[in-house]
Amino acid sequence: MLQLLLILIVIALVAGAMGFTGVAAGAATLAKIIFVLMLIGIGIIVLLAITGMAILF
């Protein structure tokens, strides 16, 4: 998931530099959504690790 996030960020930067603002905005929006999902997932894993239920993973 981190690899996809990095690819979308690069696409957004390159498209923005070349003037394709629609593509850049779409890639940036998808990158933001994936970033939030990653943060939620990491938070759940940390919470499970703190409570001692990390054996599930």
Side-chain angles (χ1 to χ4, degrees):
M1 195 178 275
L2 180 61
Q3 183 179 5
L4 178 62
L5 177 65
L6 293 175
I7 290 171
L8 285 171
I9 290 172
V10 169
I11 290 172
L13 289 173
V14 171
M18 294 178 68
F20 299 110
T21 55
V23 175
T29 302
L30 288 174
K32 288 177 189 177
I33 292 169
I34 292 173
F35 180 70
V36 169
L37 290 175
M38 277 182 35
L39 284 180
I40 291 171
I42 290 170
I44 290 171
I45 290 172
V46 168
L47 183 65
L48 289 175
I50 289 173
T51 59
M53 294 174 43
I55 190 108
L56 298 173
F57 294 103

